């Protein structure tokens, strides 16, 4: 099963304001400013003024593009192209870890933004209300679109109910049978992130500012140790090959359904999933450290501990770590190897925004694209299902056919994502997501 980020849905209601509304407040206490220390002055001012984050918003689009590329390769069953040597070559250059890198970015970004936006006076109830309003309306509309497009059998509750509740990734077979709108698996992890945040915040606050980098290093080491345990003791592939490829059916004529959306898929009583893959990629608890690396990165930026504003080195290290995914076991391909440099990229983009440094990712058009990525992410599979069912199925196409249908999927998904964002997400957040000051979270 190939999916992406998610996408860090909770990040949007704060990051999106970079282009429209005043930014939210943050939870960190500013360190005492040292006279004449310019970086400390910027940090103190950031804690008061809460600068917008256009660079991080725009960067969301590049991560979403990585996810879409993998989805287009896997979820558009264009035959005989998908059975050709050319396709295998393309998929070797754009394997699943490309989309997985986008997911890692969104999970780290989610922690960064959630910490950035949370005031000491905010209530737990208000925080949870905003998270529910941010995720569920768009998620339910995406799921409904998929149910209609794929003709999901509603009499089988296991197929759709766990997904609608965003609990499906906690049980291996639900991850597959109840996958429904497959990309929504990342939202189940986001739900865990949000549930845990108010509880963990006092502990996060107690980490001395000078020990934040050490805490981040220990968290990365914990993730590597966790994935090593999965590799050693969980059943699953142990080689270094990029094994995640489309599920193919016999013949050279394009099917009317990609396998994850076919009636035969949902009719099966149980669909096994590799334990090591499930634990390493979709199990929510395994992804929790990524969120808290983002939280710690936000503290470092806000307290003046992350002063790097040059992206060259973080991006170079990230590129090298991505290249290394070709030569490590599957358990390390999907997130563990890229986690530290991805966190550095997020922190550096945040520092650039805090210092008012403009760049390509802060361009207004990229900021707008970044704003709609959550809806774009959740509608792209239903769009591909419709295109497959009515335009691809029963015909034969080569690479040009696949490229054309991929472009059509991109354009339609962008249009629908923009409509959902502007007509559903923004009005709901403005109307119902007001902040409450009851039962404030202790600053710790």
């Amino acid at each position: 099963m190939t999916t992406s980020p998610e996408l860090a849905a909770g990040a949007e209601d704060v990051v999106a304001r970079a282009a429209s509304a005043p930014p939210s407040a943050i939870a960190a206490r500013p360190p005492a400013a040292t006279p004449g220390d310019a970086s400390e002055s910027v940090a103190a001012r950031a804690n008061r003024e809460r600068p917008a984050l256009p660079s991080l918003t725009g960067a969301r689009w590049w991560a979403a593009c990585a996810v879409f590329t993998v989805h287009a390769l896997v979820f558009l069953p264009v035959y005989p192209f998908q059975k050709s040597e050319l396709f295998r070559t393309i998929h070797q250059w754009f394997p699943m870890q490309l989309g997985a890198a986008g997911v890692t970015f969104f999970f780290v970004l989610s922690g960064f933004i959630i910490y950035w936006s949370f005031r000491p006076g905010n209530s737990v109830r208000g925080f949870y209300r905003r998270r529910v309003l941010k995720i569920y309306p768009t998620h339910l509309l995406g799921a409904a679109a998929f149910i209609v497009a794929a003709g999901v059998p509603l009499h089988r509750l296991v197929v759709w109910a766990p997904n609608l509740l965003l609990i499906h990734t906690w049980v291996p077979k639900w991850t597959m049978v109840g996958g429904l709108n497959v990309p929504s698996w990342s939202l189940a992890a986001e739900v865990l992130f949000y549930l845990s945040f108010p509880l963990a915040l006092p502990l996060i606050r107690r980490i001395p500012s000078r020990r934040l980098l050490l805490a981040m290093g220990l968290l990365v080491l914990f993730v590597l140790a966790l994935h090593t345990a999965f590799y050693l003791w969980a059943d699953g592939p142990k080689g270094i090959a990029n094994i995640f490829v489309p599920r193919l059916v016999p013949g050279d004529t394009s099917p009317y359904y990609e396998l994850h959306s076919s009636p035969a898929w949902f009719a099966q009583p149980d669909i096994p999933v590799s334990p090591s893959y499930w634990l390493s990629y979709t199990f929510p608890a395994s992804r929790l450290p990524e969120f808290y690396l983002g939280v710690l990165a936000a503290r470092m930026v806000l307290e003046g501990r992350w002063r790097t504003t040059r992206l060259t080195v973080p991006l170079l290290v990230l590129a090298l770590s991505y290249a290394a995914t070709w030569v490590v076991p599957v358990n390390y391909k999907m997130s563990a190897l890229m986690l530290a440099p991805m966190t550095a990229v997020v922190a550096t983009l945040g520092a650039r925004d805090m210092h008012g440094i403009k760049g390509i990712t802060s361009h207004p058009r990229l900021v707008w694209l970044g704003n709609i990525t959550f809806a774009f992410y959740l509608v792209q599979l239903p769009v591909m299902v419709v295109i497959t069912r009515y335009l691809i199925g029963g015909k034969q196409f080569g690479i040009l056919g696949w490229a054309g249908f991929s472009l059509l999927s991109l354009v339609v998904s962008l249009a629908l994502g923009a409509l959902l964002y502007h007509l559903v997400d923004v009005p709901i957040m403005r109307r119902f997501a007001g902040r409450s000051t009851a039962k404030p979270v202790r600053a710790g």
Side-chain angles (χ1 to χ4, degrees), residues 97 100-101 104 318 321-322 325 333-342:
Q97 56 260 39
T104 298
L318 177 60
S321 69
Y322 176 69
T325 62
K333 290 180 186 292
M334 312 309 290
S335 65
L337 207 60
M338 296 179 281
L339 184 53
M342 192 70 78

Side-chain angles (χ1 to χ4, degrees), residues 263-305:
W265 178 267
F266 293 118
Q268 297 180 86
D270 189 12
I271 304 172
V273 59
S274 165
S276 62
Y277 169 77
W278 171 64
L279 288 169
S280 298
Y281 193 53
T282 57
F283 184 50
S286 297
R287 308 308 296 261
L288 192 60
E290 299 172 40
F291 173 82
Y292 282 102
L293 274 169
V295 169
L296 294 174
R299 267 202 65 185
M300 289 197 70
V301 171
L302 287 164
E303 297 175 18
R305 292 284 172 174

